[in-house]
Amino acid sequence: MRRSGIRWVAPQRLHVEVYHLTRSFPSQEGYGLTAETRKTSRSVPYHIAEGHKRGSTAEYIRFLGIAAGSAAELETQLLPAGRLGYLKGNRAETVLALHAEVERMLDSLIRSLKAKIDLRP
């Protein structure tokens, strides 16, 4: 499904893959890194969806910016998880690749929408 230039499936898939990935995190991380990583991963598609339903392009851009911030926050959670040895196997590679794709998509959409606004009379 495509809406306003972004494939919504990638942010949602990232969210689901993060949930699968964090299942293998140690149990002592249940209320720490696991919970925070899951919360942050769901924030990305939630803010995209909320912004899309707002009444203006400017509001949409604002919420896409929040989603991009959440994606950056997710990266800061995945990096230490990797250093701690929690990211293993194909699922980790999938999550990291999806994360990079979502960040590129958000950046591109934000740039595109800002250019549209700048072209208005």
Side-chain angles (χ1 to χ4, degrees):
M1 168 171 44
R2 291 181 69 88
R3 291 188 182 177
S4 300
I6 192 166
R7 288 185 304 141
W8 284 46
V9 71
Q12 291 172 356
R13 184 166 172 230
L14 174 62
H15 170 55
V16 169
E17 289 295 330
V18 165
Y19 263 72
H20 290 301
L21 179 69
T22 56
R23 285 182 184 161
S24 66
F25 283 15
S27 59
Q28 72 264 20
E29 291 291 354
Y31 296 104
L33 192 57
T34 300
E36 286 301 313
T37 303
R38 288 176 173 185
K39 178 182 169 193
T40 304
S41 73
R42 75 178 160 255
S43 178
V44 176
Y46 286 6
H47 282 101
I48 293 168
E50 184 174 355
H52 186 260
K53 285 297 186 178
R54 293 294 171 138
S56 72
T57 302
E59 278 288 292
Y60 189 26
I61 292 169
R62 186 172 79 82
F63 277 87
L64 290 172
I66 295 168
S70 293
E73 184 180 348
L74 179 60
E75 182 178 24
T76 66
Q77 294 161 344
L78 293 173
L79 291 174
R83 288 188 189 108
L84 291 166
Y86 300 164
L87 304 182
K88 297 177 182 152
N90 292 341
R91 182 147 274 143
E93 292 173 19
T94 299
V95 166
L96 296 171
L98 277 169
H99 176 268
E101 178 184 354
V102 167
E103 282 198 320
R104 283 190 306 272
M105 290 167 61
L106 286 168
D107 290 344
S108 177
L109 181 56
I110 290 168
R111 271 194 316 276
S112 173
L113 291 172
K114 282 183 176 179
K116 262 173 101 171
I117 287 176
D118 291 343
L119 294 175
R120 289 184 182 166

